[in-house]
Amino acid sequence: MKIADKYKAKGKFADIFVEASRLNRRGNKVPYKWKAVFAFVDPTGNWDISTKKSTDKSELQDWLEQLEDDLKRDGAKLRANRKGSFAEFAERYKKNLETRDLVTFREEIKKVDVMISFFDGTKLQDIDYDAISDFKHHLLSTCTKRSFYKTDKQTGERFVSKVREAKRTKTTVNRYLSRLKDLLGEAEMSKKISSVPSFKRLIEGSAERVGTQSITPADFLKLLRICETKIHGHDAKSLVLPLIAGYETGARIGELKVVKRSGAVDIAGNVIVPGILYVDHKRKSGVLGMPIEKTRPMKYKKVPIPRRLYDAMTAVKVWDMSDDEFVFPVSSNYRHTLKTRLKLAGLDERFHFHALRAVNNTNRTFANQSKEEMQEQVGHAKGSRMSDTNYYRPDYNQLMDSIKPYEDYVEARFDDVLESGFIE
């Protein structure tokens, strides 16, 4: 928050503002939440700002009066207490996040920045259940902004072509609150606060959405065909091989993107360069070495090349590539291209590349591959329930196939009764 320089002559600033309003019965706006701001000029000549929010204006007035009394009585003490601000600790927390080697590090830093912006100059000790509840409401009621860039063909400079706004889902808000809980947990370990406030009923486990997307073999072939077809002078052939690889291996797009023509293993057989580790042209098969994207420190997996993927790789002459070429390259806007081709094929535009992991996991289940091999090759932790919950999505034909052992069993029992002559 910026405070006008004209108040610096007084050395302090204190006021209460309307933070949010509601409509009364007559349709007029009336305030229901307030924000108090208290600031004083520190020895460097800059504003030292504290803020507090509440639906009770009188509570904020008492808070401001207390801070003014503290400033008059002992300004040095107030300055020392200000060192316990949320923003100050959050900046330190961001540095600590770097040492954790998180896969989603950049996204987590952005979450913390949103927290700093919301809590502003609030003291760390003032972050209670109500403050966290207000933060959750803020996240649900505001939008995120995502910038899309283009490159000027003449100058080569990148520029923002458009900005898209979107509301946060409850699942996303849960991620923010989990990160805030972790931050406050670290503050407790650092003895900055006595305990972490309760997050009960704030993090809604029931709001977590389990994916349901899938695609039948017929629709998948239709998608591949439309990707290979030129429409208005353009095709999407570059998506075909990565789509087949995702379908046949269950690999994430980020795992496929780094696979080179020639991979490498160390003396113990561990993958050190993601790529094609082995090819048996006679069997029309081979082995891919690729990272497990969600692991830190990075782990690697070895995935067999199924026959259909081998044939697709042969068709685009992968075996003639140089050792450092990437086998499954995709452009940065592949999501947009995929969405366009899904629409042209008359399929659900919301289908994501990641859903191919579930298709592959389901196919492996019906093929009776062992759970241990399946999890190792798809990249799930050994014994993880994810394989049976989030990534098991049978289509109608697979569901009908699953009942066949039951049908055979029941029919055999009835045949036994009929053959025994029990019924005249």
Side-chain angles (χ1 to χ4, degrees), residues 111-130:
K111 290 185 180 74
V112 178
D113 285 337
V114 171
M115 296 173 200
I116 292 173
S117 175
F118 177 81
F119 291 115
D120 204 4
T122 306
K123 285 184 180 180
L124 199 57
Q125 292 180 340
D126 291 336
I127 306 296
D128 55 12
Y129 186 89
D130 290 339

Side-chain angles (χ1 to χ4, degrees), residues 358 361-362 365-366 386-394 398-399 402:
N361 182 85
T362 305
T365 300
F366 277 90
M386 294 278 285
S387 307
D388 298 325
T389 55
N390 295 23
Y391 289 90
Y392 178 70
R393 305 174 196 172
Q398 287 171 323
L399 281 174
S402 69

Side-chain angles (χ1 to χ4, degrees), residues 245-298:
Y247 189 98
E248 296 293 334
T249 67
R252 302 175 178 90
I253 190 69
E255 297 168 353
L256 291 171
K257 284 168 68 174
V258 298
V259 172
K260 294 183 178 181
R261 169 60 183 88
S262 292
V265 295
D266 61 18
I267 194 169
N270 300 312
V271 178
I272 55 176
V273 177
I276 301 173
L277 303 178
Y278 180 75
V279 183
D280 188 331
H281 295 292
K282 190 174 182 180
R283 292 184 59 179
K284 291 190 173 182
S285 188
V287 178
L288 299 172
M290 60 180 72
I292 304 176
E293 194 176 44
K294 296 293 183 179
T295 55
R296 285 294 185 274
M298 187 66 75

Side-chain angles (χ1 to χ4, degrees), residues 224 227 236-244 330 334 337-338 341:
L224 296 181
C227 285
K237 286 184 178 179
S238 60
L239 268 182
V240 173
L241 188 59
L243 282 170
I244 295 174
V330 290
Y334 79 91
T337 305
L338 177 58
R341 293 290 155 167

Side-chain angles (χ1 to χ4, degrees), residues 92-157:
R92 175 182 170 184
Y93 176 77
K94 288 198 296 185
K95 293 180 180 178
N96 291 343
L97 280 182
E98 294 184 40
T99 64
R100 297 194 193 179
D101 201 15
L102 299 173
V103 176
T104 56
F105 170 71
R106 292 182 180 178
E107 288 76 12
E108 301 309 311
I109 291 296
K110 290 177 182 177
K111 290 185 180 74
V112 178
D113 285 337
V114 171
M115 296 173 200
I116 292 173
S117 175
F118 177 81
F119 291 115
D120 204 4
T122 306
K123 285 184 180 180
L124 199 57
Q125 292 180 340
D126 291 336
I127 306 296
D128 55 12
Y129 186 89
D130 290 339
I132 298 168
S133 181
D134 288 341
F135 179 56
K136 178 180 179 178
H137 177 76
H138 167 77
L139 293 173
L140 288 169
S141 60
T142 57
C143 295
T144 58
K145 294 182 179 180
R146 183 182 177 188
S147 299
F148 293 83
Y149 296 86
K150 286 186 177 180
T151 303
D152 189 299
K153 293 182 179 179
Q154 295 182 341
T155 63
E157 295 182 356

